[in-house]
Amino acid sequence: MTPKKVMLSAVQPSNRLTLGNYLGALKNWVQLQSQFDCLFFAVDLHAITVRQDPKELREQTYRAIATYIAAGIDPDSVTLFAQSHVPQHAELAWVLNCFVYMGELSRMTQFKDKSAKQGQNIPVGLFTYPALMAADILLYKTHLVPVGEDQKQHLEITRDIAQRMNQIYGNDLFTVPEIYLPPVGARIMSLQNPLSKMSKSDPDPQSAVYLTDTDDQIRKKLKRAVTDSGSEIAYTAEKPGIKNLIDIQAAITGQSPEQITQTYAGKQYGHLKVDTAELVATAVGPIRDRTEQLLRDRSYLDDLLKQGAKKARTRAEKTLGDVFDRLGLIRRG
Ligand code: TRP
C-alpha cells in the first residue's frame, strides 16, 4: 500500500471563525481527512506578528481547535495541535530566514497590506511571516496545502525556498508542496459587500456569520444581506449578492447552484434569504453548540493538544535534524 499523501493546513487564531472558513475550508477537510495523512493546527506564532490581547489569543486558540473537532475533524486520525507547542517550527523558520531574500519578502501583498496598517513601527515578524509559514509546511514533507487565493503567493515562496535549498543540499531534502484546490470549493463572500471575501477580520460584524452566532443572529444577518437590483433570482456575476446566497446553499446542501436556482423560479429575494438563513442556522447550530461544550472541558483540550504536539514533534524533528545535518550543524541528542 502506498502511504497516504500529506495534507496540511492551518488557521490563525485571531478572531472568530466564519461561515466562510467553514464552507470554504473546514467542511472540505472533514471530507478529506481519511483520504490523506492530515495535519491541522492553529498558528498562534503567526498571530503574534500583530499585537494580540493575551487572554483573547489563548481563548481563540482553544476555540479554533474546539471548532475543528466540532465540525467533524477526528483528533485520533489527524494530527491536531498548536504551532507554538512544536518548537521545530520556529527553529526551521530561522533557517529558512537565511535562505529567503529581502526582495522576495517585500513583494508579498499580505505584508504590504498588513504593514500599511502598522504605521511607523512594523514588526520584523510581519516581514518574515512567510518563512514561518514555509517552515510549517516543509517540516512535514507536505504534498498538498489547501488554502484560499489570498495565500497563493505564500505557497509560491515556500516552493521557491524548498527548490533553492534542494538544489544546494540535495533534492530529497524537502518535498515541494502543491496548492490544493478542492473539487468543490466554496468562496463565500461578505454579506454586506458580495464583491469581497467573507473575512473574520472584517470590522463590520454584519458582513459575516460567525460560527459563534446564535440562530437569531444568523437569521438577522441573512435578512439584512445586501442583494442586487431587480427581482429575478438568477445565478450570475451581475447579481453577486444573490449568487452568494445560492453559493452558500450549494456548499451546505451539495446541490449545484443551477439546481438551486431552478427551485426559485417565480419567487422573490425574500424567499431565498429566509431559506438560506434556515439552512445556515441548521448547519452552524450544532457546530456552535458542540464547540461551547468542548470549551467547557479544558483538560480534555489540553490533553488533545499535548498528544497532537507529541505526534507532530517526532515528525518535525526528523526533518529538522536532517536540515541541520546537511547545513553542517553538529547533531543534537
Ligand atoms: N497564513 C495562513 C493564513 O493567514 C495561515 C497559515 C500559517 C497556514 N501557516 C500555514 C496555512 C501553513 C496553510 C499552511 O490563512
Side-chain angles (χ1 to χ4, degrees):
M1 206 179 80
T2 48
K4 288 178 181 172
K5 286 198 167 177
V6 178
M7 189 170 102
L8 169 148
S9 199
V11 69
Q12 273 206 53
S14 46
N15 301 314
R16 298 159 288 178
L17 295 175
T18 69
L19 180 68
N21 297 119
Y22 174 59
L23 295 177
L26 262 175
K27 192 166 187 270
N28 280 310
W29 301 353
V30 173
Q31 274 156 13
L32 295 167
Q33 63 184 335
S34 56
Q35 208 177 317
F36 296 101
D37 172 7
C38 291
L39 297 111
F40 298 124
F41 49 108
V43 287
D44 46 4
L45 295 176
H46 276 110
I48 60 167
T49 54
V50 296
R51 284 303 154 263
Q52 300 286 344
D53 176 74
K55 192 164 166 263
E56 274 289 298
L57 176 60
R58 197 170 291 119
E59 275 312 298
Q60 298 295 0
T61 308
Y62 276 124
R63 183 171 288 279
I65 297 295
T67 308
Y68 280 20
I69 299 168
I73 296 288
D74 174 9
D76 292 327
S77 63
V78 308
T79 305
L80 189 62
F81 60 100
Q83 184 187 33
S84 63
H85 292 183
V86 184
Q88 288 83 359
H89 289 244
E91 291 181 284
L92 183 61
W94 172 256
V95 173
L96 303 187
N97 268 322
C98 302
F99 288 86
V100 67
Y101 305 134
M102 302 281 285
E104 291 173 307
L105 291 175
S106 29
R107 281 194 291 275
M108 295 292 116
T109 52
Q110 185 171 301
F111 169 69
K112 290 189 223 168
D113 292 348
K114 288 195 178 179
S115 58
K117 292 179 196 150
Q118 297 292 313
Q120 284 275 303
N121 295 322
I122 300 162
V124 175
L126 210 49
F127 188 63
T128 64
Y129 179 114
L132 178 58
M133 178 158 163
D136 292 345
I137 297 168
L138 298 178
L139 269 179
Y140 302 98
K141 311 253 174 191
T142 305
H143 299 101
L144 300 165
V145 186
V147 281
E149 245 344 90
D150 62 322
Q151 295 298 316
K152 239 178 158 166
Q153 219 185 6
H154 288 160
L155 213 74
E156 281 304 318
I157 205 172
T158 302
R159 291 169 54 88
D160 290 344
I161 299 170
Q163 276 158 348
R164 182 171 306 155
M165 291 188 70
N166 280 358
Q167 222 161 46
I168 307 172
Y169 299 104
N171 257 324
D172 56 339
L173 180 61
F174 291 131
T175 298
V176 181
E178 309 271 347
I179 191 163
Y180 181 80
L181 299 169
V184 277
R187 190 170 147 83
I188 305 304
M189 311 305 277
S190 155
L191 297 178
Q192 291 303 312
N193 172 13
L195 294 176
S196 71
K197 198 175 125 176
M198 182 180 284
S199 162
K200 59 187 158 72
S201 47
D202 194 315
D204 178 4
Q206 297 300 320
S207 71
V209 169
Y210 301 108
L211 299 182
T212 48
D213 282 346
T214 63
D215 290 355
D216 216 39
Q217 285 170 318
I218 293 171
R219 290 195 187 100
K220 284 204 180 107
K221 285 184 181 181
L222 279 147
K223 205 168 143 199
R224 292 192 199 128
V226 167
T227 43
D228 312 284
S229 58
S231 59
E232 191 207 346
I233 294 174
Y235 188 75
T236 152
E238 275 129 57
K239 294 195 168 193
I242 295 299
K243 180 173 179 291
N244 192 33
L245 296 181
I246 296 170
D247 278 332
I248 291 173
Q249 286 207 14
I252 294 175
T253 63
Q255 284 184 296
S256 73
E258 292 71 26
Q259 277 173 322
I260 292 164
T261 312
Q262 274 171 18
T263 64
Y264 287 99
K267 292 196 182 163
Q268 281 151 12
Y269 287 176
H271 293 121
L272 177 65
K273 285 186 174 183
V274 170
D275 292 350
T276 310
E278 289 317 308
L279 275 173
V280 172
T282 310
V284 169
I287 297 174
R288 173 195 62 222
D289 297 345
R290 178 89 182 108
T291 303
E292 293 308 325
Q293 198 184 12
L294 286 162
L295 282 172
R296 282 196 285 272
D297 191 352
R298 293 303 155 108
S299 61
Y300 169 73
L301 290 176
D302 281 330
D303 220 47
L304 269 183
L305 286 173
K306 219 165 156 182
Q307 287 170 28
K310 203 169 151 208
K311 277 199 273 182
R313 257 186 248 134
T314 309
R315 293 172 69 162
E317 182 58 23
K318 247 171 110 178
T319 307
L320 186 71
D322 189 25
V323 171
F324 280 176
D325 207 31
R326 294 199 204 196
L327 284 166
L329 309 186
I330 296 172
R331 261 197 183 276
R332 64 185 180 191

PDB file of all heavy atoms in Angstrom, residues 8-12 41 43 46 83 110 114 129 132-134 136-137 145-147 150-151 154-155 200, ligand 1:
ATOM      1  N   LEU A   8      -1.763  19.420   4.713  1.00  0.00           N
ATOM      2  CA  LEU A   8      -1.579  20.243   5.901  1.00  0.00           C
ATOM      3  C   LEU A   8      -2.226  21.599   5.709  1.00  0.00           C
ATOM      4  O   LEU A   8      -2.146  22.190   4.639  1.00  0.00           O
ATOM      5  CB  LEU A   8      -0.066  20.394   6.130  1.00  0.00           C
ATOM      6  CG  LEU A   8       0.454  21.397   7.151  1.00  0.00           C
ATOM      7  CD1 LEU A   8       1.749  20.855   7.764  1.00  0.00           C
ATOM      8  CD2 LEU A   8       0.739  22.755   6.527  1.00  0.00           C
ATOM      9  N   SER A   9      -2.932  22.040   6.733  1.00  0.00           N
ATOM     10  CA  SER A   9      -3.426  23.407   6.680  1.00  0.00           C
ATOM     11  C   SER A   9      -3.547  23.976   8.081  1.00  0.00           C
ATOM     12  O   SER A   9      -3.506  23.240   9.065  1.00  0.00           O
ATOM     13  CB  SER A   9      -4.765  23.495   5.939  1.00  0.00           C
ATOM     14  OG  SER A   9      -4.973  24.835   5.532  1.00  0.00           O
ATOM     15  N   ALA A  10      -3.670  25.288   8.144  1.00  0.00           N
ATOM     16  CA  ALA A  10      -3.665  25.942   9.444  1.00  0.00           C
ATOM     17  C   ALA A  10      -4.519  27.188   9.398  1.00  0.00           C
ATOM     18  O   ALA A  10      -4.789  27.729   8.338  1.00  0.00           O
ATOM     19  CB  ALA A  10      -2.235  26.309   9.818  1.00  0.00           C
ATOM     20  N   VAL A  11      -4.917  27.607  10.586  1.00  0.00           N
ATOM     21  CA  VAL A  11      -5.721  28.814  10.663  1.00  0.00           C
ATOM     22  C   VAL A  11      -5.147  29.702  11.751  1.00  0.00           C
ATOM     23  O   VAL A  11      -4.580  29.224  12.736  1.00  0.00           O
ATOM     24  CB  VAL A  11      -7.209  28.450  10.932  1.00  0.00           C
ATOM     25  CG1 VAL A  11      -7.392  27.884  12.324  1.00  0.00           C
ATOM     26  CG2 VAL A  11      -8.113  29.647  10.720  1.00  0.00           C
ATOM     27  N   GLN A  12      -5.235  31.013  11.538  1.00  0.00           N
ATOM     28  CA  GLN A  12      -4.746  31.949  12.560  1.00  0.00           C
ATOM     29  C   GLN A  12      -5.800  32.110  13.626  1.00  0.00           C
ATOM     30  O   GLN A  12      -6.943  32.435  13.321  1.00  0.00           O
ATOM     31  CB  GLN A  12      -4.507  33.313  11.934  1.00  0.00           C
ATOM     32  CG  GLN A  12      -3.147  33.443  11.348  1.00  0.00           C
ATOM     33  CD  GLN A  12      -2.697  34.896  11.325  1.00  0.00           C
ATOM     34  OE1 GLN A  12      -2.721  35.595  12.333  1.00  0.00           O
ATOM     35  NE2 GLN A  12      -2.302  35.348  10.161  1.00  0.00           N
ATOM     36  N   PHE A  41      -3.502  22.727  12.315  1.00  0.00           N
ATOM     37  CA  PHE A  41      -3.072  23.394  13.552  1.00  0.00           C
ATOM     38  C   PHE A  41      -3.469  24.853  13.587  1.00  0.00           C
ATOM     39  O   PHE A  41      -3.885  25.427  12.594  1.00  0.00           O
ATOM     40  CB  PHE A  41      -1.576  23.211  13.782  1.00  0.00           C
ATOM     41  CG  PHE A  41      -0.690  23.516  12.596  1.00  0.00           C
ATOM     42  CD1 PHE A  41       0.095  24.655  12.572  1.00  0.00           C
ATOM     43  CD2 PHE A  41      -0.631  22.645  11.522  1.00  0.00           C
ATOM     44  CE1 PHE A  41       0.919  24.929  11.489  1.00  0.00           C
ATOM     45  CE2 PHE A  41       0.193  22.917  10.425  1.00  0.00           C
ATOM     46  CZ  PHE A  41       0.963  24.057  10.414  1.00  0.00           C
ATOM     47  N   VAL A  43      -2.138  28.539  14.174  1.00  0.00           N
ATOM     48  CA  VAL A  43      -0.830  29.209  14.084  1.00  0.00           C
ATOM     49  C   VAL A  43      -0.763  30.412  15.032  1.00  0.00           C
ATOM     50  O   VAL A  43      -0.828  31.558  14.633  1.00  0.00           O
ATOM     51  CB  VAL A  43      -0.458  29.588  12.628  1.00  0.00           C
ATOM     52  CG1 VAL A  43      -0.075  28.339  11.846  1.00  0.00           C
ATOM     53  CG2 VAL A  43      -1.558  30.323  11.898  1.00  0.00           C
ATOM     54  N   HIS A  46       2.080  32.839  14.337  1.00  0.00           N
ATOM     55  CA  HIS A  46       1.775  33.802  13.275  1.00  0.00           C
ATOM     56  C   HIS A  46       0.874  34.919  13.808  1.00  0.00           C
ATOM     57  O   HIS A  46       1.014  36.074  13.414  1.00  0.00           O
ATOM     58  CB  HIS A  46       1.067  33.122  12.092  1.00  0.00           C
ATOM     59  CG  HIS A  46       2.014  32.480  11.125  1.00  0.00           C
ATOM     60  ND1 HIS A  46       2.118  31.119  10.987  1.00  0.00           N
ATOM     61  CD2 HIS A  46       2.891  33.013  10.260  1.00  0.00           C
ATOM     62  CE1 HIS A  46       3.035  30.844  10.067  1.00  0.00           C
ATOM     63  NE2 HIS A  46       3.512  31.982   9.605  1.00  0.00           N
ATOM     64  N   GLN A  83       0.707  25.442  16.992  1.00  0.00           N
ATOM     65  CA  GLN A  83       2.032  25.659  16.388  1.00  0.00           C
ATOM     66  C   GLN A  83       3.132  25.877  17.443  1.00  0.00           C
ATOM     67  O   GLN A  83       4.218  25.309  17.344  1.00  0.00           O
ATOM     68  CB  GLN A  83       1.931  26.882  15.484  1.00  0.00           C
ATOM     69  CG  GLN A  83       3.153  27.234  14.678  1.00  0.00           C
ATOM     70  CD  GLN A  83       2.944  28.573  13.977  1.00  0.00           C
ATOM     71  OE1 GLN A  83       2.270  29.461  14.503  1.00  0.00           O
ATOM     72  NE2 GLN A  83       3.471  28.713  12.774  1.00  0.00           N
ATOM     73  N   GLN A 110       0.344  40.393   1.254  1.00  0.00           N
ATOM     74  CA  GLN A 110      -0.176  40.396   2.618  1.00  0.00           C
ATOM     75  C   GLN A 110       0.708  41.264   3.529  1.00  0.00           C
ATOM     76  O   GLN A 110       0.198  41.982   4.386  1.00  0.00           O
ATOM     77  CB  GLN A 110      -0.273  38.971   3.171  1.00  0.00           C
ATOM     78  CG  GLN A 110      -0.928  38.929   4.545  1.00  0.00           C
ATOM     79  CD  GLN A 110      -1.233  37.519   5.016  1.00  0.00           C
ATOM     80  OE1 GLN A 110      -1.956  36.774   4.384  1.00  0.00           O
ATOM     81  NE2 GLN A 110      -0.644  37.140   6.130  1.00  0.00           N
ATOM     82  N   LYS A 114      -0.740  44.428   5.497  1.00  0.00           N
ATOM     83  CA  LYS A 114      -0.693  44.448   6.961  1.00  0.00           C
ATOM     84  C   LYS A 114       0.254  45.516   7.484  1.00  0.00           C
ATOM     85  O   LYS A 114      -0.028  46.148   8.500  1.00  0.00           O
ATOM     86  CB  LYS A 114      -0.291  43.072   7.516  1.00  0.00           C
ATOM     87  CG  LYS A 114      -1.385  42.022   7.372  1.00  0.00           C
ATOM     88  CD  LYS A 114      -1.105  40.818   8.247  1.00  0.00           C
ATOM     89  CE  LYS A 114      -2.239  39.806   8.136  1.00  0.00           C
ATOM     90  NZ  LYS A 114      -1.973  38.621   8.959  1.00  0.00           N
ATOM     91  N   TYR A 129       7.048  36.562   8.199  1.00  0.00           N
ATOM     92  CA  TYR A 129       5.886  35.668   8.324  1.00  0.00           C
ATOM     93  C   TYR A 129       5.929  34.508   7.313  1.00  0.00           C
ATOM     94  O   TYR A 129       5.717  33.348   7.684  1.00  0.00           O
ATOM     95  CB  TYR A 129       4.645  36.549   8.137  1.00  0.00           C
ATOM     96  CG  TYR A 129       3.287  35.920   8.198  1.00  0.00           C
ATOM     97  CD1 TYR A 129       2.393  36.245   9.227  1.00  0.00           C
ATOM     98  CD2 TYR A 129       2.829  35.050   7.212  1.00  0.00           C
ATOM     99  CE1 TYR A 129       1.116  35.716   9.258  1.00  0.00           C
ATOM    100  CE2 TYR A 129       1.559  34.512   7.251  1.00  0.00           C
ATOM    101  CZ  TYR A 129       0.709  34.856   8.277  1.00  0.00           C
ATOM    102  OH  TYR A 129      -0.554  34.321   8.309  1.00  0.00           O
ATOM    103  N   LEU A 132       8.103  31.518   8.312  1.00  0.00           N
ATOM    104  CA  LEU A 132       7.493  30.642   9.323  1.00  0.00           C
ATOM    105  C   LEU A 132       6.425  29.750   8.676  1.00  0.00           C
ATOM    106  O   LEU A 132       6.324  28.568   8.983  1.00  0.00           O
ATOM    107  CB  LEU A 132       6.892  31.485  10.459  1.00  0.00           C
ATOM    108  CG  LEU A 132       6.182  30.727  11.575  1.00  0.00           C
ATOM    109  CD1 LEU A 132       7.098  29.707  12.261  1.00  0.00           C
ATOM    110  CD2 LEU A 132       5.615  31.692  12.625  1.00  0.00           C
ATOM    111  N   MET A 133       5.682  30.321   7.765  1.00  0.00           N
ATOM    112  CA  MET A 133       4.668  29.512   7.077  1.00  0.00           C
ATOM    113  C   MET A 133       5.328  28.428   6.219  1.00  0.00           C
ATOM    114  O   MET A 133       4.871  27.284   6.183  1.00  0.00           O
ATOM    115  CB  MET A 133       3.768  30.412   6.225  1.00  0.00           C
ATOM    116  CG  MET A 133       2.730  29.642   5.452  1.00  0.00           C
ATOM    117  SD  MET A 133       1.334  30.684   4.998  1.00  0.00           S
ATOM    118  CE  MET A 133       0.585  29.676   3.715  1.00  0.00           C
ATOM    119  N   ALA A 134       6.439  28.775   5.580  1.00  0.00           N
ATOM    120  CA  ALA A 134       7.172  27.777   4.788  1.00  0.00           C
ATOM    121  C   ALA A 134       7.679  26.668   5.703  1.00  0.00           C
ATOM    122  O   ALA A 134       7.611  25.481   5.365  1.00  0.00           O
ATOM    123  CB  ALA A 134       8.323  28.439   4.045  1.00  0.00           C
ATOM    124  N   ASP A 136       6.292  25.702   8.526  1.00  0.00           N
ATOM    125  CA  ASP A 136       5.107  24.908   8.878  1.00  0.00           C
ATOM    126  C   ASP A 136       4.904  23.780   7.864  1.00  0.00           C
ATOM    127  O   ASP A 136       4.596  22.642   8.218  1.00  0.00           O
ATOM    128  CB  ASP A 136       3.832  25.768   8.809  1.00  0.00           C
ATOM    129  CG  ASP A 136       3.751  26.842   9.879  1.00  0.00           C
ATOM    130  OD1 ASP A 136       4.510  26.774  10.848  1.00  0.00           O
ATOM    131  OD2 ASP A 136       2.903  27.761   9.713  1.00  0.00           O
ATOM    132  N   ILE A 137       5.039  24.152   6.619  1.00  0.00           N
ATOM    133  CA  ILE A 137       4.700  23.240   5.523  1.00  0.00           C
ATOM    134  C   ILE A 137       5.831  22.244   5.262  1.00  0.00           C
ATOM    135  O   ILE A 137       5.607  21.042   5.138  1.00  0.00           O
ATOM    136  CB  ILE A 137       4.386  24.059   4.248  1.00  0.00           C
ATOM    137  CG1 ILE A 137       3.144  24.937   4.483  1.00  0.00           C
ATOM    138  CG2 ILE A 137       4.205  23.148   3.038  1.00  0.00           C
ATOM    139  CD1 ILE A 137       2.905  25.993   3.412  1.00  0.00           C
ATOM    140  N   VAL A 145      -1.439  21.548   0.155  1.00  0.00           N
ATOM    141  CA  VAL A 145      -1.833  22.581   1.109  1.00  0.00           C
ATOM    142  C   VAL A 145      -3.128  23.230   0.623  1.00  0.00           C
ATOM    143  O   VAL A 145      -3.123  23.992  -0.342  1.00  0.00           O
ATOM    144  CB  VAL A 145      -0.736  23.662   1.259  1.00  0.00           C
ATOM    145  CG1 VAL A 145      -1.105  24.647   2.361  1.00  0.00           C
ATOM    146  CG2 VAL A 145       0.614  23.031   1.546  1.00  0.00           C
ATOM    147  N   PRO A 146      -4.250  22.910   1.248  1.00  0.00           N
ATOM    148  CA  PRO A 146      -5.498  23.558   0.845  1.00  0.00           C
ATOM    149  C   PRO A 146      -5.594  24.951   1.472  1.00  0.00           C
ATOM    150  O   PRO A 146      -5.698  25.084   2.672  1.00  0.00           O
ATOM    151  CB  PRO A 146      -6.583  22.624   1.398  1.00  0.00           C
ATOM    152  CG  PRO A 146      -5.935  21.863   2.501  1.00  0.00           C
ATOM    153  CD  PRO A 146      -4.444  21.940   2.330  1.00  0.00           C
ATOM    154  N   VAL A 147      -5.467  25.951   0.647  1.00  0.00           N
ATOM    155  CA  VAL A 147      -5.597  27.336   1.132  1.00  0.00           C
ATOM    156  C   VAL A 147      -6.362  28.153   0.097  1.00  0.00           C
ATOM    157  O   VAL A 147      -6.532  27.733  -1.042  1.00  0.00           O
ATOM    158  CB  VAL A 147      -4.217  28.027   1.361  1.00  0.00           C
ATOM    159  CG1 VAL A 147      -3.584  27.606   2.654  1.00  0.00           C
ATOM    160  CG2 VAL A 147      -3.289  27.844   0.182  1.00  0.00           C
ATOM    161  N   ASP A 150      -5.849  34.003  -1.370  1.00  0.00           N
ATOM    162  CA  ASP A 150      -5.008  35.011  -0.710  1.00  0.00           C
ATOM    163  C   ASP A 150      -3.696  34.442  -0.179  1.00  0.00           C
ATOM    164  O   ASP A 150      -2.794  35.200   0.162  1.00  0.00           O
ATOM    165  CB  ASP A 150      -5.804  35.682   0.434  1.00  0.00           C
ATOM    166  CG  ASP A 150      -6.217  34.685   1.503  1.00  0.00           C
ATOM    167  OD1 ASP A 150      -6.569  33.532   1.162  1.00  0.00           O
ATOM    168  OD2 ASP A 150      -6.186  35.036   2.694  1.00  0.00           O
ATOM    169  N   GLN A 151      -3.592  33.117  -0.107  1.00  0.00           N
ATOM    170  CA  GLN A 151      -2.369  32.502   0.412  1.00  0.00           C
ATOM    171  C   GLN A 151      -1.487  31.916  -0.683  1.00  0.00           C
ATOM    172  O   GLN A 151      -0.451  31.305  -0.416  1.00  0.00           O
ATOM    173  CB  GLN A 151      -2.715  31.424   1.442  1.00  0.00           C
ATOM    174  CG  GLN A 151      -3.375  31.961   2.693  1.00  0.00           C
ATOM    175  CD  GLN A 151      -2.463  32.913   3.435  1.00  0.00           C
ATOM    176  OE1 GLN A 151      -1.276  32.678   3.618  1.00  0.00           O
ATOM    177  NE2 GLN A 151      -3.022  34.044   3.859  1.00  0.00           N
ATOM    178  N   HIS A 154       2.130  33.005  -0.735  1.00  0.00           N
ATOM    179  CA  HIS A 154       2.937  32.401   0.324  1.00  0.00           C
ATOM    180  C   HIS A 154       3.321  30.961  -0.029  1.00  0.00           C
ATOM    181  O   HIS A 154       4.372  30.481   0.369  1.00  0.00           O
ATOM    182  CB  HIS A 154       2.183  32.421   1.660  1.00  0.00           C
ATOM    183  CG  HIS A 154       2.076  33.795   2.250  1.00  0.00           C
ATOM    184  ND1 HIS A 154       1.129  34.123   3.191  1.00  0.00           N
ATOM    185  CD2 HIS A 154       2.797  34.914   2.030  1.00  0.00           C
ATOM    186  CE1 HIS A 154       1.288  35.390   3.535  1.00  0.00           C
ATOM    187  NE2 HIS A 154       2.285  35.891   2.836  1.00  0.00           N
ATOM    188  N   LEU A 155       2.455  30.311  -0.756  1.00  0.00           N
ATOM    189  CA  LEU A 155       2.773  28.948  -1.155  1.00  0.00           C
ATOM    190  C   LEU A 155       3.839  28.941  -2.246  1.00  0.00           C
ATOM    191  O   LEU A 155       4.732  28.081  -2.251  1.00  0.00           O
ATOM    192  CB  LEU A 155       1.504  28.221  -1.621  1.00  0.00           C
ATOM    193  CG  LEU A 155       1.619  26.766  -1.268  1.00  0.00           C
ATOM    194  CD1 LEU A 155       1.427  26.578   0.219  1.00  0.00           C
ATOM    195  CD2 LEU A 155       0.663  25.931  -2.041  1.00  0.00           C
ATOM    196  N   LYS A 200     -12.939  37.008   8.654  1.00  0.00           N
ATOM    197  CA  LYS A 200     -13.093  37.101  10.098  1.00  0.00           C
ATOM    198  C   LYS A 200     -12.518  38.400  10.632  1.00  0.00           C
ATOM    199  O   LYS A 200     -12.775  38.776  11.757  1.00  0.00           O
ATOM    200  CB  LYS A 200     -12.507  35.877  10.815  1.00  0.00           C
ATOM    201  CG  LYS A 200     -11.043  35.591  10.590  1.00  0.00           C
ATOM    202  CD  LYS A 200     -10.715  34.252  11.252  1.00  0.00           C
ATOM    203  CE  LYS A 200      -9.494  33.558  10.730  1.00  0.00           C
ATOM    204  NZ  LYS A 200      -8.215  34.134  11.080  1.00  0.00           N
TER     205      LYS A 200
HETATM  206  N1  TRP B   1      -1.069  32.317   6.549  1.00  0.00           N
HETATM  207  C1  TRP B   1      -2.230  31.486   6.656  1.00  0.00           C
HETATM  208  C2  TRP B   1      -3.477  32.396   6.714  1.00  0.00           C
HETATM  209  O1  TRP B   1      -3.386  33.540   7.102  1.00  0.00           O
HETATM  210  C3  TRP B   1      -2.208  30.610   7.868  1.00  0.00           C
HETATM  211  C4  TRP B   1      -1.089  29.630   7.812  1.00  0.00           C
HETATM  212  C5  TRP B   1       0.064  29.644   8.538  1.00  0.00           C
HETATM  213  C6  TRP B   1      -1.060  28.456   7.013  1.00  0.00           C
HETATM  214  N2  TRP B   1       0.800  28.548   8.239  1.00  0.00           N
HETATM  215  C7  TRP B   1       0.160  27.811   7.321  1.00  0.00           C
HETATM  216  C8  TRP B   1      -1.943  27.902   6.079  1.00  0.00           C
HETATM  217  C9  TRP B   1       0.518  26.609   6.698  1.00  0.00           C
HETATM  218  C10 TRP B   1      -1.572  26.724   5.465  1.00  0.00           C
HETATM  219  C11 TRP B   1      -0.363  26.090   5.755  1.00  0.00           C
HETATM  220  O2  TRP B   1      -4.538  31.927   6.393  1.00  0.00           O
END
